[in-house]
Amino acid sequence: MKDPRITGRQKYVIDAAVEGMLHGRILRSVYPSARITSIDTSMVPEDVVVLTPQDVAGLHHYGCQIADQTVLPQDQVRFVGDPVLAVAAESVAAAEEALLMIDVEYEELPGVFDAVSATAPDAPLVHDRHKISENDAAYFGIRPVDGTNICHRFRLIQGDIEAGFAGADVIVEETFTTAGAAHVSMEPHAALASWDDGRLKMVTGNQTPFNLRGDLATIFGMKPEDIQVICPPMGGSFGAKTFVRIEGIAAALARKADRPVRIILDRAEEFQTLNRHPSTIRVKIGARSDGALLAKEVHCLADTGAYADCGPGVAQKMGFASPGPYRIPHVRVESNSVYTNLPPNGAYRGYGQMQSIWASERTMDLLAGKLGIDPLELRLKNLLREGDAYCTGEVMHDVAFEECLRDAAAAIGYEPGQPGLGVSVLMKGMQTPSFASIRVRAKPGGRYHIDCATVEMGQGSRKALATMAADLLGCAVGDIDIPAPDTDVSPPDTRTTSSRSTHMMGRALEVAVANLKDSDTGEGFGEIRENGGLDPDTGQGIASSHWHQGAAGARVSVDEETGAVTVEHVHAAVYAGRVVVRKQAELQNEGSMIMGYGTAMFESLDILDGAIGNPNLSDYNVPSIADLPKLTHSLIEREGGDVHGLGETALPPVPAAIGNALQSLGLTLRDLPMTPERVLAAVDEATDRTEDAA
Amino acid sequence: MSTAWHSPTTREEVLRLRAELGEDGTLVAGGTFLGVLMNNGILAPEAMISLAHVEGFERIARDGAELRIGAMVTHRRLEFDADIRALCPMIADTFAVVANPRVRNWATIGGVLADADYASDPPAAMIALDARVVLESASGRREVSVEDLIEDVYQTVIEEDEVLTEVIVPLDQSAARYRKFRTRSHEDRPCVSVAAVQASGGLRVAVGAVAGKPQIFHDICALAKGRAMDSGLAREIGTAYAERIDPITDARGSSAYRKRVIAVEVRRALEDLAA
């Protein structure tokens, strides 16, 4: 069977069309922070439908974690690109022409453009209020700090941090930063909305069909059952197509037009729609002279942009993964999700954990240097092992950090003291609590029909589920039909994020097939529910019912006159437990490593005059095939191991491994990306150190 | 708004349209640059004159001691053309490192010189090679060195009624080298580029992507007069170029960083020449 994505037969969301459909375009703010003083649409032709803030004034606030957003801003715009109004016309060109005929006047307001300034005492506030969302994505106890731009503050406390540092022989303290990044999926955001007798049908590229349905129900004051969300396969997402993006505008436009409306964003708009959190992370770590870790304090600022989106969740995971897979008796973490006047930041492959792993794993090598202990040895000495308790109090099971780390080190030919080599290790949490359900029906001719809400975005989860189902049912993969998720039909699922689908939905499928075999109705239903969650004020509880575990190794060389880095080899080791579809698992690793490489070396959303300064693929670079170093990886399996999610695991350790390889050359990099200019500055710093010593 | 599209097939027709339409008639060669401008809403031409079907604009020919390259010759052809590789391999080396094959299949030598983007690879190479362009109009024809053609970012001496029809490259170089220093993706434009050419008239070094137009300093190049290129001279010239240039800052590097890279990359280009 030829893959329709290869033959070109795959229908993506941008191909969705219905008769009588209008084309929507969005007028966006050109100011990062301003009050809208007037809107003049009088020049727009009569056959163009215009949706103004006034049209949506009666709709409700929404947001997957904090209800801080309206379909169109009511009085104030909060970032360059914030939608001001939208039009629908017979063609995209007519809609674009209409946008040029609209005159909006603004009164500029002060803005904040990074999380550090946004948390300063006199910083202008991006939002006045923080109303926690009723969406079930707001599951973890959100802690906004009133009167500040902090929309969530997560804390994790174990032991007595002061006592820990007091007992330490060596302490390292350092601040790290990471840049914002764009997902750059090939297919942009697209949605087709239509109304029929008070029911809303939304065909959209979205990883979170049930959360989206919930938020749309909130917006329009409808019952969720009166909204049908259908999610055809997407041409990539990487976290960008989560929760409400353009669906609210499409639905409101369609309702006003009384016609179906399709919106497809252009590339520039993609850069204004959802990006990755820039971060500033301060780490302080203390150890005994023999290398035993005693205390670690981490302070994270995650810039979530103008609307919280899932930024509170990102900050929480950034925080709880930051201690790293080590036994540390005294831990204190504070992780803040901070509003700024930049486009919203949200889910991005790695979900905040690339940022904290960068900071934490770089700190480990600085500590190793100060202790005079080999960085690999220091890690091995402190790694969490089977049955150890993490600083959240949860007991670790199916633990494979050591195997991953040793595999990564061996693959790059790691030798203590040999320059140009570096390693890193990570733990990454999965959505917890989490729920998945699935229905399997026997059809005539030995075929099976599966309904589930797992969305296909190129990650291959449908193929993985079909392969598992064929194995369980004793049929061919081709005998399994899995239509696209449809909230009218598919049983509920938390969402297709967090590398959870094969792990969660796969196990639900096992239950459903067993149920089918036991029943005489020809139908089986299965569900899996993982409980847990953390107390947001102490960080105690179960952070992750299932930890993603991995490591990376890198070999580099540096041109010390220009700072140009040649990454010769990167290896990622990912704990798979049990591989379901090998080829796809390998592609997940490769894709993650390539994104990790871009993050490490050059991907950066530059902020210029309060806006994304490089919102196009000429000025924002993603890795091309010609950039890639030798990339190798391992999928580590174990007899009787669980099926572990692996859609993201190989990304977060890559920048830290490269940074640590540079550290082995005496070059201390604190900021991502590690541009040649920053590397040259590190060369200068090392030269100054040598001269000072001499 | 609709755009009138003209697709002339003869040189005369192009020149006539150009004279008629003046600044309202935007010439389209490969379209890789115009496409970006139009997609970003920076340019919305009233009329476009395509050069795609004009006879004779795609010719590569040797003319005695010179090479004549038609304006519509693509980067990809220059990358692979056997005559180019044999006669002046630096041309092939330069055009081979522009962007990616999708761009090189369409982008043309005439287009890239007429656009005069500060961060393109070919302008510095063509200046170091002492290349000239032919500018034709309904009322005449003139030749201008690439060095004089480009005035600043996106600014050239091409008049409203003129068309860049041909590029003429002298073939008197004994050694030539193009170095592209990137700070991001392989497909990116250079942070600093250096073209160094040893020809009968002496040394020519042009540094690209660091200012509004490629930087060439004849007095500094003259330091090489009568001296064999060695690492000391290479360093001297590299340092002098770095001191003379006041580089721009953009996403590919700060001014201070570029200054340091210029010294290194000019020196390396000259060391390459000597090798």
Side-chain angles (χ1 to χ4, degrees):
Chain A
M1 189 175 60
K2 288 203 178 76
D3 189 326
R5 293 174 301 177
I6 306 298
T7 61
R9 289 215 174 84
Q10 180 68 57
K11 294 286 181 220
Y12 291 102
V13 184
I14 56 168
D15 299 313
V18 288
E19 198 143 330
M21 163 180 98
L22 297 175
H23 301 266
R25 295 292 291 158
I26 297 166
L27 185 75
R28 294 172 180 277
S29 171
V30 291
Y31 294 105
S33 178
R35 188 169 293 115
I36 301 170
T37 54
S38 75
I39 295 176
D40 180 359
T41 62
S42 59
M43 302 300 285
V44 176
E46 273 184 13
D47 62 343
V48 175
V49 180
V50 183
L51 186 76
T52 66
Q54 213 180 338
D55 291 324
V56 298
L59 302 180
H60 301 280
H61 278 75
Y62 71 95
C64 61
Q65 295 181 340
I66 293 181
D68 58 7
Q69 208 162 355
T70 46
V71 169
L72 295 171
Q74 285 307 294
D75 47 357
Q76 192 178 334
V77 287
R78 293 183 170 85
F79 70 94
V80 173
D82 207 353
V84 174
L85 49 74
V87 299
E90 296 290 341
S91 69
V92 173
E96 281 182 350
E97 227 164 294
L99 291 185
L100 298 174
M101 300 171 188
I102 296 167
D103 189 33
V104 180
E105 283 178 23
Y106 303 88
E107 179 193 320
E108 276 194 81
L109 298 170
V112 279
F113 306 106
D114 66 84
V116 175
S117 337
T119 46
D122 55 348
L125 296 184
V126 180
H127 292 273
D128 303 329
R129 56 180 217 135
H130 308 284
K131 184 174 171 285
I132 310 301
S133 171
E134 283 164 18
N135 194 301
D136 68 6
Y139 59 91
F140 50 81
I142 294 170
R143 296 285 185 269
V145 181
D146 285 341
T148 76
N149 283 313
I150 296 170
C151 61
H152 178 53
R153 170 170 287 169
F154 166 74
R155 285 197 169 112
L156 189 160
I157 297 158
Q158 174 182 271
D160 178 346
I161 195 74
E162 278 79 21
F165 284 121
D169 298 315
V170 171
I171 292 174
V172 167
E173 188 168 4
E174 196 61 79
T175 300
F176 299 85
T177 70
T178 65
H183 305 75
V184 195
S185 51
M186 287 231 264
E187 182 188 36
H189 289 79
L192 168 59
S194 51
W195 293 82
D196 183 14
D197 198 19
R199 254 198 132 228
L200 170 62
K201 179 176 173 182
M202 179 65 63
V203 179
T204 180
N206 200 297
Q207 296 175 230
T208 62
F210 281 95
N211 297 119
L212 173 62
R213 188 179 73 161
D215 266 343
L216 289 172
T218 300
I219 291 169
F220 291 100
M222 294 164 65
K223 286 188 292 197
E225 300 74 42
D226 288 336
I227 298 169
Q228 179 185 20
V229 175
I230 298 172
C231 296
M234 286 175 262
S237 177
F238 313 108
K241 297 165 184 167
T242 42
F243 308 109
V244 178
R245 302 266 69 91
I246 54 173
E247 292 86 352
I249 293 173
L253 256 181
R255 190 161 77 167
K256 183 165 182 191
D258 200 19
R259 301 251 305 259
V261 171
R262 186 177 77 184
I263 299 177
I264 300 175
L265 296 188
D266 67 24
R267 186 56 63 184
E269 291 178 294
E270 286 291 291
F271 286 88
Q272 297 173 324
T273 298
L274 197 75
N275 297 313
R276 185 182 69 201
H277 287 74
S279 71
T280 300
I281 302 176
R282 192 176 70 236
V283 184
K284 181 178 176 186
I285 192 164
R288 275 202 321 248
S289 57
D290 66 357
L293 298 179
L294 286 182
K296 185 168 185 180
E297 187 172 14
V298 185
H299 182 266
C300 308
L301 293 177
D303 175 347
T304 204
Y307 300 99
D309 197 72
C310 65
V314 170
Q316 181 138 329
K317 286 188 180 166
M318 186 182 288
F320 75 56
S322 68
Y326 303 111
R327 293 184 307 272
I328 313 172
H330 308 285
V331 176
R332 185 158 70 197
V333 176
E334 180 183 305
S335 188
N336 299 286
S337 183
V338 183
Y339 285 127
T340 62
N341 291 102
L342 292 172
N345 295 307
Y348 182 108
R349 204 176 200 175
Y351 209 83
Q353 289 147 108
M354 181 285 294
Q355 292 92 321
S356 53
I357 288 157
W358 162 250
S360 282
E361 284 296 281
R362 288 288 299 110
T363 310
M364 283 300 278
D365 273 39
L366 294 174
L367 177 66
K370 214 163 172 184
L371 286 165
I373 297 176
D374 174 69
L376 175 60
E377 190 193 325
L378 179 66
R379 287 181 173 80
L380 290 171
K381 185 180 174 71
N382 290 286
L383 276 183
L384 288 171
R385 292 184 169 81
E386 195 71 32
D388 281 342
Y390 187 48
C391 54
T392 53
E394 68 204 87
V395 175
M396 304 298 290
H397 55 87
D398 207 9
V399 173
F401 298 115
E402 183 170 348
E403 276 170 272
C404 290
L405 188 55
R406 286 191 187 278
D407 180 88
I412 57 156
Y414 189 91
E415 291 288 344
Q418 195 182 317
L421 301 173
V423 294
S424 69
V425 59
L426 86 148
M427 60 194 299
K428 179 187 165 296
M430 190 198 77
Q431 172 64 37
T432 303
S434 182
F435 171 79
S437 64
I438 191 165
R439 189 169 50 238
V440 181
R441 264 186 296 147
K443 307 258 285 181
R447 299 186 66 83
Y448 294 91
H449 181 99
I450 295 181
D451 286 312
C452 81
T454 295
V455 183
E456 181 59 52
M457 50 187 157
Q459 85 279 39
S461 61
R462 282 145 51 104
K463 175 102 174 271
L465 288 169
T467 303
M468 291 167 99
D471 194 35
L472 293 164
L473 292 160
C475 66
V477 175
D479 293 332
I480 312 268
D481 296 319
I482 311 182
D486 175 342
T487 55
D488 276 6
V489 179
S490 312
D493 172 47
T494 302
R495 50 193 160 269
T496 307
T497 59
S498 200
S499 303
R500 62 182 284 285
S501 295
T502 307
H503 172 74
M504 291 291 295
M505 199 59 87
R507 288 184 299 150
L509 176 68
E510 288 173 6
V511 177
V513 170
N515 181 240
L516 170 74
K517 287 177 177 169
D518 286 347
S519 87
D520 47 16
T521 60
E523 192 168 304
F525 178 79
E527 66 174 58
I528 290 285
R529 192 179 292 274
E530 294 287 1
N531 296 316
L534 294 178
D535 179 323
D537 303 313
T538 64
Q540 297 303 297
I542 294 175
S544 186
S545 62
H546 153 97
W547 287 94
H548 300 137
Q549 305 169 58
R555 176 191 291 271
V556 306
S557 59
V558 174
D559 174 350
E560 294 202 349
E561 286 190 284
T562 62
V565 176
T566 304
V567 179
E568 290 157 7
H569 183 190
V570 179
H571 180 89
V574 169
Y575 182 56
R578 180 158 56 86
V579 172
V580 178
V581 183
R582 181 157 299 276
K583 185 73 210 165
Q584 288 180 187
E586 288 175 349
L587 290 172
Q588 285 282 21
N589 273 357
E590 285 179 11
S592 292
M593 291 172 79
I594 293 168
M595 285 180 96
Y597 179 79
T599 289
M601 306 313 289
F602 50 74
E603 284 192 54
S604 174
L605 288 173
D606 301 324
I607 309 306
L608 197 68
D609 301 329
I612 303 293
N614 51 347
N616 60 72
L617 293 176
S618 180
D619 295 322
Y620 182 88
N621 283 193
V622 292
S624 95
I625 201 77
D627 291 317
L628 300 182
K630 175 182 173 188
L631 295 176
T632 57
H633 57 91
S634 307
L635 291 161
I636 294 174
E637 293 184 275
R638 238 182 229 170
E639 192 67 37
D642 291 344
V643 172
H644 276 244
L646 41 73
E648 305 165 78
T649 318
L651 192 162
V654 170
I658 294 172
N660 287 340
L662 289 167
Q663 191 67 55
S664 76
L665 297 168
L667 307 179
T668 303
L669 275 296
R670 300 169 184 85
D671 306 302
L672 286 181
M674 293 175 272
T675 59
E677 186 161 358
R678 283 174 171 160
V679 175
L680 189 62
V683 171
D684 291 346
E685 192 186 312
T687 310
D688 290 349
R689 257 199 320 269
T690 314
E691 282 168 5
D692 287 350
Chain B
M1 193 182 68
S2 61
T3 304
W5 181 262
H6 302 276
S7 190
T9 55
T10 66
R11 178 179 306 254
E12 292 67 32
E13 215 180 326
V14 174
L15 301 180
R16 182 181 56 76
L17 281 165
R18 187 72 167 146
E20 271 175 29
L21 297 168
E23 66 173 354
D24 295 333
T26 300
L27 289 167
V28 190
T32 55
F33 174 68
L34 275 187
V36 172
L37 294 188
M38 292 174 68
N39 281 342
N40 288 315
I42 295 166
L43 193 72
E46 278 184 28
M48 299 176 87
I49 307 167
S50 166
L51 301 181
H53 305 290
V54 183
E55 211 181 307
F57 275 23
E58 294 187 349
R59 202 163 38 220
I60 298 175
R62 181 172 186 169
D63 182 5
E66 292 185 327
L67 191 60
R68 304 181 78 97
I69 304 169
M72 286 299 286
V73 172
T74 63
H75 289 36
R76 200 67 167 159
R77 260 183 80 197
L78 292 168
E79 179 180 356
F80 288 113
D81 186 273
D83 289 339
I84 298 282
R85 284 222 165 262
L87 295 170
C88 187
M90 189 181 97
I91 296 177
D93 294 345
T94 303
F95 283 85
V97 295
V98 174
N100 56 51
R102 275 94 57 209
V103 169
R104 296 200 292 276
N105 280 334
W106 287 94
T108 65
I109 186 168
V112 73
L113 294 180
D115 297 338
D117 190 304
Y118 78 97
S120 290
D121 294 279
M126 288 296 135
I127 287 171
L129 287 167
D130 205 12
R132 314 186 298 284
V133 295
V134 176
L135 301 179
E136 290 186 67
S137 68
S139 57
R141 175 189 188 279
R142 58 177 176 145
E143 288 185 12
V144 175
S145 70
V146 178
E147 194 178 335
D148 293 332
L149 171 76
I150 300 171
E151 295 183 304
D152 205 343
V153 188
Y154 306 150
Q155 283 173 36
T156 67
V157 300
I158 302 172
E159 296 292 339
E160 256 172 50
D161 62 342
E162 282 182 320
V163 180
L164 192 166
T165 56
E166 205 173 21
V167 181
I168 303 170
V169 185
L171 291 171
D172 63 340
Q173 53 281 144
S174 54
R177 180 81 160 102
Y178 181 73
R179 289 180 66 90
K180 175 173 187 169
F181 181 79
R182 305 170 182 86
T183 51
R184 305 189 301 182
S185 168
H186 199 84
E187 295 189 3
D188 197 12
R189 293 161 178 276
C191 168
V192 172
S193 72
V194 180
V197 174
Q198 189 68 58
S200 55
L203 178 70
R204 291 177 67 89
V205 176
V207 178
V210 296
K213 62 175 183 174
Q215 301 288 294
I216 181 165
F217 303 108
H218 300 288
D219 57 329
I220 298 175
C221 292
L223 291 171
K225 216 167 204 157
R227 292 165 71 183
M229 183 56 66
D230 58 18
S231 60
L233 180 56
R235 185 176 299 273
E236 190 183 337
I237 295 173
T239 305
Y241 262 75
E243 279 171 6
R244 189 75 64 84
I245 296 170
D246 180 18
I248 53 141
T249 291
D250 66 11
R252 300 177 191 97
S254 71
S255 176
Y257 176 69
R258 278 186 152 99
K259 223 176 192 12
R260 289 178 68 173
V261 173
I262 291 166
V264 174
E265 285 293 302
V266 168
R267 190 198 80 219
R268 287 175 176 172
L270 295 175
E271 287 169 351
D272 290 349
L273 274 194

